[in-house]
Amino acid sequence: MTNEPFSSPRDAALALLSSGERLSRKAGSFLGQLAVDDAPMSAAQTNWLGKLLDRANMPQLVKGEPHD
């Protein structure tokens, strides 16, 4: 895996889901939603995705990712 930032929430979610990282049911549901729904994320969702990526030692989203 590279350290390049993810270009979309979908890409980040799919990477987390396939990483083998231990995820809660709630986190898995959230990531599944991001994988199939391209609706803009809220600030809270953007923050949560960032925390999940941090915990998995994965790169963040490209800065300036749109949200509501």
Side-chain angles (χ1 to χ4, degrees), residues 36-67:
V36 299
D37 185 358
D38 63 352
M41 291 190 298
S42 69
Q45 289 172 318
T46 301
N47 187 39
W48 190 15
L49 179 57
K51 288 179 182 179
L52 292 171
L53 291 167
D54 277 344
R55 286 185 204 145
N57 293 316
M58 298 177 97
Q60 294 294 309
L61 285 175
V62 171
K63 296 293 181 205
E65 189 63 36
H67 59 74

Side-chain angles (χ1 to χ4, degrees), residues 20-48:
E21 189 73 21
R22 188 167 177 87
L23 299 166
S24 68
R25 181 177 292 210
K26 187 175 178 182
S29 177
F30 169 64
L31 294 171
Q33 177 185 351
L34 290 179
V36 299
D37 185 358
D38 63 352
M41 291 190 298
S42 69
Q45 289 172 318
T46 301
N47 187 39
W48 190 15

